[in-house]
Amino acid sequence: MKTTVTYEELLEELMQIRLQLKEANETIEAIRIGEVDALIQQSAKGHELLTIKKANQTYRLFIEKMKEGAVTLNEDGIILYSNSQFASMVNLPLTKIIGFPMTNFIPKEVKDFFKIIIIKGWKSDSKGEILIKNKNNEMIPFLLSATSLELDEGPALSIIFTDLTAQKAQQRLLQIKNEQLEIARQKADKMNEELEEIVKERTKDLFLSREYFKFLADNTPVMIWTTDADGKLDYVNRQWHEYTGFDVEQSRTKQNELIHPDDLENSSAAWKKAMKDKKKYEQKVRFKRISDGIFRWHFAHAIPFQDEQGNVTAWFGTSIDINDQIMELERKDEFITVASHELKTPLTSLSGYIQLLQSQTNLPHNLKMYVSKAHDSATKLQHLINDLLDFSKIKAGKLKFNMDIFDLSDFINSCIDNCKYIYSSHTINAELEKGIMIRGNAERLEQVVMNLVSNAVKYSRENKEIIIRTEKDNAFAIVSVIDFGIGMSPSDQTKIFERFYRVEEKKNRIPGLGMGLYISSEIIKEHNGEITVKSKLNEGSVFSFSLPLANSM
Ligand code: ADP
């Protein structure tokens, strides 16, 4: 027998072994992917046909393509089969896996646990999670599912390795999200509780303020009502209900029964205007008192309640029964009418006798002086009584007069001549626009100008300049009497044209009846004009009245 082997022979043998190995690998690969179901092997016993039992090509392909690692072990724990996924998990070629003990691929630390899964798997399906090192030497969590199989060659155990990295990451993410959700839920719960507390407080506050409002409204001797932003009545207090006999609904729908028919139109027009202008509503109106069915005068007043943007959100109204005061005023007016007429006759004869005395040329000097003083006093009295008579005429609607067309500046100049004579203490300057023709009653208009100048003198003792100005303003002539005297507050300015109204001036009280401006304004109204005042306390006043131009009528 030849014992020495030459180098060439050895090389030849190595080539043969390499070829066989290549063939074997190709065969294994072909079997794995199902290209080959059987093969013939040459052995000592001659040619032998090896078939792959139950090697259904579909399943083999399926196992090869799946993401999970799959191995089959025999009873000794030797790997009979591995898919390429498992090979790539442990980063070894299949030739280094198949035929080797499974425990070779299990880290030391988890070997015991692995064995338990295997032992259980031989009895029935078993599962467990273990960590296995991957190709990058990282410990990767895997789920192992072991199931025993009965092959022709004997019992086998199939193990599926499912990589849990993504699932774990997903679980961690889910856990984080859950934790965040829990924190958010707790915060929301807390906010909810706080909100509930605030709502409870506010509801209590609201309830209390509503109760306070109701208590106040029901225990005030005034009728109180409110409307919504559109002016629709939505509340009336106890007094209203008791006085009118109407609740909110009835008060809204039975206006015709509630308000005197003669006042309906005016009050509704005033209400519409107040709503349009968002300004306070003030109106004298007669409401029917349910207890005796009598219409009584009321002063109705309402103010708009506005939000920060200036939108009206509600109206708050009050109505006060002023019937007794109105009756009182009417009695006073009646008394003035009667008294002025009664005074007129004796004053006329008194003036007559004074004139008679004045015409006596042989009167001693001191008597002449007394007669002259009596004449002055009688003239003053005459003015007062004239005012009272005018007032009575106005009340009776009898302030009527004839109108003529005349030149305004001529007219004012003649008034100034008179004033200069009567009010010599003050300087009256004229600023007159020429050529303004007006239509009016010169006597009555002179009464107005004299009254305004008389007031300017009375209420400006320090500054003695008075200006009378005339000018045109569209279809009107404007006459202004300007002084630099004590002036008046804005609230007084709105009231001085009312009869008997006088500004309360404690010190330095100036005598007067509070009728001059009332009569003047009525005279100007009768001329289809308007009288107004602009004034500042301690700076002076400008009283102006307008008259339609003669050619505009
Ligand atoms: P009287 O002057 O007789 O009181 P009037 O009706 O003429 O009555 O005037 C009413 C009130 O208006 C006066 O009491 C006075 O307080 C105020 N008033 C009128 N004219 C002036 C003025 N030129 N300056 C300041 N206050 C005035």
Side-chain angles (χ1 to χ4, degrees), residues 455 458-459 483 488 496 501-503 512-514 516-517 541 543:
N455 280 346
K458 262 201 310 191
Y459 301 106
D483 70 60
M488 70 190 88
I496 50 168
Y501 187 83
R502 306 205 67 233
V503 175
L513 279 183
L517 287 179
S541 311
F543 280 87

Side-chain angles (χ1 to χ4, degrees), residues 41-48:
Q41 194 186 10
Q42 198 164 10
S43 69
K45 293 179 217 155
H47 286 103
E48 202 178 337

Side-chain angles (χ1 to χ4, degrees), residues 445 448-449 452 477-479 524 530-532 543-547:
L445 289 178
V448 173
V449 175
L452 294 182
I478 310 287
V479 180
I524 298 299
E530 199 189 359
I531 188 163
T532 55
F543 280 87
S544 304
F545 61 86
S546 59
L547 296 167

